[in-house]
Amino acid sequence: MLTVDAPLATDRLLLRPFRRDDVDALYDLRSRPEVLRYLYWPPATRDGVRDVVAQRLTMTTLAADGDFLVLAVELRSTGRLIGEVDLSLTSTEHGHGEIGAILHPDAQGHGYASEAVAALLDLAFDVLGLHRVTAQTNAGNEASTRAMLRLGMRQEGHLRQCVAFGGEWHDELLFAILADEWTARR
Ligand SMILES: CC(C)(COP(=O)(O)OP(=O)(O)OC[C@H]1O[C@@H](n2cnc3c(N)ncnc32)[C@H](O)[C@@H]1OP(=O)(O)O)[C@@H](O)C(=O)NCCC(=O)NCCS
C-alpha cells in the first residue's frame, strides 16, 4: 500500500496532493485544445474541473486494483501548478501499474514530465514493490512517446484502433519498464 499525504520533492518540482484551491490552475490546463489533443476528453467546464479536483483530493492512496494516485506538479521555484501525474495500480497479483503525465504547454520542453514520472517510478518500484509499469499514449503523440523512451520505457505494442473517440478510431502505443530495468538505470 502507498499513501502520499505530504509533498514529494524532486530537483525542481514538488509532487503534492491536490487542494481545493487548484481549480483555476487545473481549469487553465484542461481547457486548452493543445493539451486535450490526445486525451479523449471533452473540453473542460469550470464546474467539471471543480468535480475533478474534489475527486483528486481523495486520490492519494494505492491499496487495491483500480486505485489511482494523482498528484499536482508544482514548480519549486515559483509554487505554480504546472501539471499533474498519475500512477494507478492495475494488478496487485501481477505487480502491474500504469503512469501518465500532463503538463501546461508553457512548462513543456524542460524535462519536468520526465522528472515527475521518474519520481513516480521510484514510488512504484521501491515503495509499492511493483514488477512492471506501463504507459499508453495515442500513436500520434510524439512528445509523450519521446518522454516514455527517455525514461527507458520500451515500446511493446502498437494497438490498432483501440480507442473510439470523436467518431473515429485511434491507435495507441504501449510502453513498459520492469523493476530491474528501472533499478539498472539509476
Ligand atoms: C506528454 C508531455 C507530458 C511531455 O512533456 P515534455 O515536457 O515534452 O516531456 P519531458 O519532461 O520529457 O521534457 C523533454 C523535453 O524537454 C527538453 N529539456 C529541456 N531541458 C531539459 C532538462 N533539464 N532535462 C530533460 N529534458 C529537458 C528535452 O530536450 C525534451 O525536448 P524534446 O522532446 O523536444 O526532445 C506533454 O507533451 C503533455 O503534457 N502533453 C499533453 C497531455 C498529454 O498528451 N499527455 C500524455 C498522455 S499519455
Side-chain angles (χ1 to χ4, degrees):
M1 179 174 136
L2 165 70
T3 295
V4 177
D5 48 18
L8 302 170
T10 66
D11 285 349
R12 299 175 293 172
L13 307 171
L14 275 190
L15 309 186
R16 60 156 177 83
F18 271 85
R19 303 186 305 242
R20 286 193 194 283
D21 64 358
D22 288 328
V23 171
D24 286 349
L26 199 62
Y27 179 69
D28 183 32
L29 184 68
R30 284 178 160 241
S31 53
R32 291 174 178 272
E34 66 268 47
V35 169
L36 298 181
R37 180 164 176 212
Y38 296 115
L39 294 181
Y40 317 121
W41 296 343
T45 63
R46 194 169 283 277
D47 281 347
V49 171
R50 201 168 286 118
D51 291 345
V52 168
V53 169
Q55 290 166 6
R56 298 275 190 266
L57 297 178
T58 61
M59 297 170 93
T60 54
T61 293
L62 295 176
D65 291 6
D67 285 351
F68 263 87
L69 168 72
V70 190
L71 298 174
V73 178
E74 203 176 278
L75 264 189
R76 286 174 65 174
S77 57
T78 62
R80 177 185 166 212
L81 188 157
I82 57 164
E84 63 176 34
V85 284
D86 61 86
L87 169 65
S88 59
L89 185 54
T90 49
S91 169
T92 308
E93 180 184 5
H94 302 293
H96 290 182
E98 183 166 348
I99 46 120
I102 303 172
L103 285 188
H104 192 285
D106 293 352
Q108 294 176 16
H110 299 277
Y112 296 140
S114 300
E115 187 170 323
V117 171
L120 281 193
L121 289 172
D122 285 344
L123 286 181
F125 293 126
D126 299 345
V127 181
L128 209 49
L130 294 185
H131 176 62
R132 172 183 162 86
V133 173
T134 57
Q136 219 169 288
T137 191
N138 183 287
N141 194 342
E142 293 177 6
S144 180
T145 295
R146 283 197 301 274
M148 300 311 154
L149 294 174
R150 192 174 296 113
L151 283 158
M153 301 186 87
R154 174 184 45 256
Q155 186 182 324
E156 294 190 342
H158 185 132
L159 315 178
R160 305 276 172 196
Q161 300 190 0
C162 71
V163 175
F165 182 77
E168 290 178 42
W169 289 106
H170 300 268
D171 288 11
E172 292 255 301
L173 302 180
L174 172 68
F175 296 88
I177 188 164
L178 302 175
D180 58 359
E181 293 169 336
W182 182 243
T183 300
R185 284 184 70 83
R186 289 182 293 183

